[in-house]
């Protein structure tokens, strides 16, 4: 169980570090060596979890969609608007969201899944739900409208990044909805939609950070309480566990044969 937990933590460290690197440098200029430095893991540990730089980038693309949750209760259109505002907020405060967006815009997966597919599908589902609940015009094609909404958001966030470093992105996204909603929704519904979103995202982020800090403190206290007096780590630690000299525990447990191979898609090592 402890080994499994460590493997999960290693995976998380790699993905988080890679997100910050891709955010800073883009895909082509992102170096595996820099990801290793920021993640504080060995090359063997990285290649145990990911076969290539492209595989890491795909994991980030998958992760970015988790920054948005569409509420299924209440108004589907308001939930769709709220989700857009969540992502606008994440683009300013979350490296995972920025990295995933940058990778999508760079189009590094021309032979793989459509980089905007998940967003378009999720948006189309909410529009279909809106039609079922009488919010969205019945003649609207959910997939066509979803593509327009995602494309509009993408362009707006790029312009906002260039103009203000995304400082005005949430206001620009609200304006986007004010222009789009009349073309897809009944006027009576629009009157009750808040284009700026219903949730105080800054307060929500503070609460989440405080909760995670408290959980980390409790976990640290529990770990400290479980240690014997004067014991600073597992007995027989270090090289006594059978690792090679200079090789970390993650690498020893997780490095597969041939893990030192180079990365694909032109990744620097």
């Amino acid at each position: 169980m402890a080994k499994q937990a460590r493997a999960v933590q290693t995976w998380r460290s790699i993905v988080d570090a890679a997100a910050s690197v891709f955010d800073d440098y883009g895909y082509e200029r992102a170096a595996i060596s820099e990801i290793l430095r920021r993640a504080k893991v060995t090359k063997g540990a990285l290649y145990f979890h990911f076969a290539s730089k492209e595989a890491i980038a795909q994991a980030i693309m998958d992760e970015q969609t988790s920054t948005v949750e569409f509420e299924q209760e209440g108004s589907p259109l308001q939930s769709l608007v709220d989700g857009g505002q969540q992502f606008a907020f994440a683009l300013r405060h979350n490296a995972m969201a920025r990295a995933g967006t940058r990778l999508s815009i760079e189009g590094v997966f021309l032979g793989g899944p459509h980089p905007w597919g998940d967003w378009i599908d999720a948006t189309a589902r909410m529009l279909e739900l809106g039609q079922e609940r009488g919010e969205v015009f019945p003649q609207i094609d959910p997939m066509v409208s979803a593509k327009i909404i995602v494309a509009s958001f993408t362009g707006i966030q790029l312009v906002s990044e260039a103009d203000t470093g995304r400082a005005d992105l949430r206001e620009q996204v609200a304006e986007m909805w004010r222009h789009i909603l009349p073309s897809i929704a009944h006027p009576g519904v629009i009157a009750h939609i808040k284009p700026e979103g219903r949730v105080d995202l800054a307060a929500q982020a503070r609460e989440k950070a405080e909760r995670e800090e408290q959980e980390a403190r409790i976990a640290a206290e529990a770990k400290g309480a479980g240690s014997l007096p004067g014991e600073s780590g597992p007995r027989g630690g270090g090289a006594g566990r059978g690792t090679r000299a200079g090789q970390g525990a993650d690498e020893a447990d997780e490095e597969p044969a041939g893990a030192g191979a180079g990365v694909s898609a032109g990744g620097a090592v």
Side-chain angles (χ1 to χ4, degrees):
M1 184 65 72
K3 182 177 179 180
Q4 181 181 13
R6 188 177 64 205
V8 170
Q9 181 57 49
T10 300
W11 186 94
R12 181 80 266 163
S13 297
I14 294 167
V15 172
D16 287 344
S20 69
V21 175
F22 287 132
D23 180 31
D24 288 342
Y25 299 106
Y27 182 81
E28 292 298 335
R29 294 196 301 125
I32 289 293
S33 58
E34 180 62 13
I35 295 174
L36 294 173
R37 188 186 70 81
R38 296 189 190 188
K40 296 181 173 62
V41 301
T42 64
K43 185 183 292 187
L46 184 146
Y47 282 112
F48 174 81
H49 291 281
F50 299 99
S52 64
K53 186 170 76 167
E54 182 175 345
I56 302 173
Q58 186 60 58
I60 291 170
M61 298 278 289
D62 295 339
E63 280 277 301
Q64 71 159 335
T65 58
S66 68
T67 61
V68 173
E69 295 180 4
F70 293 119
E71 294 290 338
Q72 300 300 308
E73 302 298 326
S75 165
L77 278 179
Q78 184 65 69
S79 295
L80 191 57
V81 170
D82 291 346
Q85 290 291 10
Q86 284 180 35
F87 195 60
F89 184 84
L91 283 169
R92 290 203 64 198
H93 304 281
N94 187 316
M96 191 70 65
R98 291 193 300 272
T101 298
R102 180 166 183 170
L103 290 169
S104 298
I105 292 169
E106 290 180 352
V108 296
F109 307 113
L110 298 179
H114 191 296
W116 306 107
D118 288 342
W119 292 112
I120 292 170
D121 290 344
T123 300
R125 284 195 297 270
M126 295 306 294
L127 292 174
E128 290 171 356
L129 187 58
Q131 286 180 322
E132 293 173 8
R133 298 183 183 176
E135 291 190 345
V136 176
F137 292 136
Q139 68 269 24
I140 294 300
D141 184 324
M143 184 57 68
V144 171
S145 295
K147 290 179 179 179
I148 291 172
I149 290 169
V150 172
S152 298
F153 184 99
T154 301
I156 284 171
Q157 71 88 17
L158 282 172
V159 173
S160 176
E161 180 185 18
D163 282 349
T164 67
R166 296 195 179 102
D168 67 343
L169 179 56
R170 294 192 62 195
E171 291 79 5
Q172 294 301 318
V173 171
E175 287 299 328
M176 178 196 83
W177 284 115
R178 292 188 183 101
H179 281 74
I180 291 178
L181 286 172
S183 68
I184 64 174
H186 293 285
V189 173
I190 296 174
H192 300 285
I193 300 294
K194 295 182 178 180
E196 68 279 5
R198 293 175 296 185
V199 181
D200 184 342
L201 296 171
Q204 190 179 71
R206 286 194 299 270
E207 290 175 3
K208 180 180 179 182
E210 291 171 359
R211 184 169 62 252
E212 291 176 347
E213 182 181 353
Q214 182 179 20
E215 291 172 353
R217 184 168 61 252
I218 292 172
E221 291 173 353
K223 183 177 180 180
S227 299
L228 295 175
E231 186 176 41
S232 59
R235 295 180 182 178
R241 293 188 60 206
T243 62
R244 297 195 301 270
Q247 182 184 45
D250 279 331
E251 185 175 357
D253 291 340
E254 300 172 351
E255 181 176 8
V263 297
S264 64
V269 178

